[in-house]
Amino acid sequence: MSALSGRRIRLQGTVQGVGFRPWVYRVARDAALTGRVRNDSGGVTIEAFGPAAALDAFVDRLSHDAARPAAAVVDSLEAEPIAFEDAPAFSIDRSETTEHPRVSIPPDLATCPDCLSEIADPADRRYRYPFTNCTACGPRFTIVRSAPYDRLATTMAAFAMCPECRREYDAVSDRRFHAQPNACPACGPRLDLRAADGDPLPAADTLAEAARAIRDGAIVAIKGIGGFQLACDATSDAAVRRLRGRKHRDEKPFAVMVRTIAGAEAIAELSAAEKTLLLSAERPIVLAARRADSGLALAIAPGNPLVGVLLANAPLHDLLLEAAGVPLVMTSGNVSEEPIVVDNNDALFRLRGVADLFVLHDRDIVTRADDSVTRVIAGRPVVLRRARGYVPRAIASPVPFEATVLGCGAQLKNTFCYGRGREAVLGPHIGDLDSVRVFRDYEGAIARMGQFLDVTPEIVAHDLHPDYLSTRYALGLNGTVTLGVQHHHAHVASAMAEHGLRGPVLGLAYDGTGYGTDGTAWGGELLIADYAEFTRLATFRPLALPGGDMAIRQPWRVALALIDDAFKGEAPIDAVPLFRRIAPGDLDVVLRMIHRGLNAPLAHGVGRYFDAFGALLLGRPYASYEGQIAFELDAAADPDERRRYDYRIDQTPSPWQVDLRAAVRAAVFELLGGEPAARISARIHNTLAAVSVDLVRAAARGAGRLPVVLSGGCFQNARLAESILRGLEPELTVHLHERVPPGDGGIALGQACVAAARARRL
Ligand SMILES: [Zn+2]
Ligand SMILES: [Zn+2]
């Protein structure tokens, strides 16, 4: 019998609003310990009393137990001995009402297995109830109006709990103890079915009715967790095409929602890591290889061998999928690139003509959050679009924020980021800041997150691009210090921050375009950087972008610039199939623009090289969304091809310059000789990987074996990232993005960290 003792255990991380205290209570009770657990401003504090050996085992379970609530993330656990106290039992203390809002609002959590079995059980009072939730699951961030996170601060304040729900909410040992959105059919939100014109459609079973319409080919607008979604039968080409037509979305892939992991395996080849990601409490869209026998409509992702799959994340989805019996397209409820609709009346107005049927309900959404998008790269989960399920989870920052910092993000795929204390909080994916509606959403989301965190930014960091609306927003704020941060420095800093690196690092930042300190478009950069400073060690030979932004939507223009440069004006333009698809007059005009430098700014972006090679090899003159051609080039590459082309790294200028002209000539000759595009594409990827490995090795010879980070939108390309990783490891440690997007969705974090580091030196 060991001596009676006590422990005070402090846990920090995402431990509030995720069912952590009830779980601690059960574990303590099972171990016959006494004491208490409470939420406080830092996280959760436990005081436990009992035999020393049992206390040690308890601490061990708190740190390692696999049965810990799925959504809980423990960042730190500290245990210290305290004197034994003869407490009567183990209890959950009420939270301090003065709780500081510093404690994070939890992210939205996918339905847990316990709730799923309740809604499937005809004897349960929540049988088929689409708003079932508990402390381990349900909406959180998207229904909060103000901090601290409490029922009255959420849109559930409008629903008075019935006696049974109240009893669950008040009972410390109940799974619904302090489950803020707790609800049941007697007291909670209800569905409301509407026809295409908005008229009420009384139905005995709303979701069965919606499922029937979907099977008949209809498009149904559904109010999901962070906003409306548009659903249709994913196996019907006609339905999917109709949705494309009405949404004005030509070719951008649609995500497909299924009910179970077996359903996901029927449409995609899934690795263990991909299955884990699909089943995670965040329930993101996972990009995975589509099965040849998936049965999905071809129109879901034309020309794309991947499919974005996600599992149901709310009981409503689960019930709908069960009734429909087919996988469903589940795409953002918006028209083209506007913000997703969150409000009932807005849905009836803005999605009129798009949806044939509306499934509304009366639980309001405060903050929109799109479905998050992820991909497994080099065996690790990488978040490509960070929104529902991940936001507002904080990222521990290696740079302390002595003043509150706001990073305003970039122009495309915008997110913003607050930094305070030792934490950075990225806001939800906002989208491209080029419409008034998106910009208003951006301003609103920044203000709301500032309220949740109870902070006012003292330093505002922005991109150097003067025309980004995020830059204009920053410069338009009164009474704050503003700091411009170079785009690729911000990329590299964001990768450093998420891996806790203090720098210096060698950072490869590859993307389409980012404003350089010299006013030109960078995007094929090797930097040596810490948070405060960077030096540009190398870049890619620039390409002309005839027509500026038009060249991005019409990559044949960049392809023309690429081969014109490589063949010194003697390019075999007439022989290349791509250019036969362009009117001769247009070719002449664009060639003249290139030669005279008229409206043909030079750009160093690796993304532009991908666009140009893709257009050339695949004979694709136009892109209907950003990154499309680069993505198809990646998809086309033969995985078994090992050869590469020649290249040069010119080390005389500073920065060094990567010269791919020999590779371009070789690829064009092979193309004209009838070599399959799959092999040429693979060789181009191999060439870019080899040149990147050479660059980093050469830099490491001068700078030492620093950690390496890979950042920028091009590292969504798994083949490129994985080849560079293989080439550099184990000689150097290489970090890919994981919790923060490699593309411009991660930039705000880097901006905030750079600004904090610079401010410390002021
Ligand atoms: Zn639950
Ligand atoms: Zn109730």
Side-chain angles (χ1 to χ4, degrees), residues 560-573 591 595:
L560 189 61
L562 178 83
I563 73 165
D564 184 67
D565 183 40
F567 288 89
K568 301 189 173 70
E570 307 283 324
I573 294 168
L591 264 182
H595 292 154

Coordinates of all heavy atoms in Angstrom, one line a residue, residues 560-573 591 595:
L560 N 4.5 30.1 -74.8 CA 5.1 30.7 -75.9 C 6.4 31.5 -75.4 O 7.4 31.4 -76.1 CB 4.1 31.7 -76.6 CG 4.5 32.3 -77.9 CD1 4.8 31.2 -79.0 CD2 3.5 33.3 -78.4
A561 N 6.2 32.2 -74.3 CA 7.4 32.9 -73.8 C 8.5 31.9 -73.4 O 9.7 32.2 -73.6 CB 7.0 33.7 -72.5
L562 N 8.1 30.8 -72.8 CA 9.1 29.8 -72.4 C 9.9 29.2 -73.6 O 11.1 29.2 -73.5 CB 8.3 28.6 -71.7 CG 9.1 27.4 -71.3 CD1 9.7 27.7 -69.9 CD2 8.3 26.1 -71.2
I563 N 9.2 28.8 -74.7 CA 10.0 28.3 -75.8 C 10.7 29.3 -76.6 O 11.8 29.1 -77.1 CB 9.2 27.3 -76.6 CG1 8.2 28.0 -77.5 CG2 8.5 26.2 -75.8 CD1 7.7 27.0 -78.6
D564 N 10.1 30.5 -76.6 CA 10.8 31.6 -77.3 C 12.1 31.9 -76.7 O 13.2 32.1 -77.3 CB 9.9 32.9 -77.3 CG 10.5 34.0 -78.2 OD1 10.6 33.8 -79.4 OD2 10.9 35.0 -77.6
D565 N 12.1 31.9 -75.3 CA 13.4 32.2 -74.6 C 14.4 31.0 -74.8 O 15.5 31.2 -75.0 CB 13.0 32.3 -73.1 CG 14.2 32.7 -72.2 OD1 15.0 33.5 -72.7 OD2 14.3 32.2 -71.1
A566 N 13.9 29.8 -74.7 CA 14.8 28.6 -74.7 C 15.4 28.5 -76.1 O 16.5 28.0 -76.2 CB 14.0 27.4 -74.4
F567 N 14.7 28.8 -77.2 CA 15.2 28.7 -78.5 C 15.7 30.0 -79.1 O 15.9 30.1 -80.3 CB 14.1 28.1 -79.5 CG 13.8 26.6 -79.2 CD1 12.9 26.2 -78.3 CD2 14.5 25.6 -79.9 CE1 12.6 24.9 -78.1 CE2 14.2 24.3 -79.7 CZ 13.3 23.9 -78.8
K568 N 15.9 31.0 -78.2 CA 16.5 32.3 -78.6 C 15.7 32.8 -79.8 O 16.4 33.2 -80.8 CB 18.0 32.2 -78.9 CG 18.8 31.7 -77.7 CD 20.3 31.8 -78.0 CE 21.1 31.4 -76.7 NZ 21.0 30.0 -76.4
G569 N 14.4 32.8 -79.8 CA 13.6 33.4 -80.9 C 13.5 32.5 -82.1 O 12.9 32.8 -83.1
E570 N 14.1 31.3 -82.1 CA 14.0 30.3 -83.2 C 13.2 29.1 -82.9 O 13.4 28.0 -83.4 CB 15.4 29.8 -83.6 CG 16.5 30.9 -83.8 CD 16.3 31.6 -85.2 OE1 15.9 30.9 -86.1 OE2 16.5 32.8 -85.3
A571 N 12.2 29.3 -82.0 CA 11.4 28.2 -81.6 C 10.5 27.6 -82.7 O 10.0 28.3 -83.6 CB 10.4 28.6 -80.5
P572 N 10.4 26.3 -82.7 CA 9.6 25.6 -83.8 C 8.1 25.7 -83.4 O 7.4 24.7 -83.3 CB 10.0 24.1 -83.7 CG 10.5 24.0 -82.3 CD 11.0 25.3 -81.8
I573 N 7.6 27.0 -83.4 CA 6.2 27.3 -82.9 C 5.2 26.5 -83.8 O 4.3 25.9 -83.2 CB 6.0 28.8 -82.9 CG1 6.9 29.5 -81.9 CG2 4.5 29.1 -82.6 CD1 6.9 31.0 -82.0
L591 N 3.8 37.3 -79.5 CA 5.2 37.2 -79.7 C 5.8 38.6 -79.7 O 6.9 38.9 -79.1 CB 5.5 36.6 -81.0 CG 5.9 35.1 -81.0 CD1 6.2 34.6 -82.4 CD2 7.0 34.8 -80.0
H595 N 8.8 40.1 -77.3 CA 10.0 40.6 -77.8 C 10.2 42.1 -77.4 O 11.3 42.5 -77.1 CB 10.1 40.5 -79.3 CG 10.2 39.0 -79.7 ND1 9.8 38.6 -80.9 CD2 10.7 38.0 -79.1 CE1 10.0 37.3 -81.0 NE2 10.5 36.9 -79.9

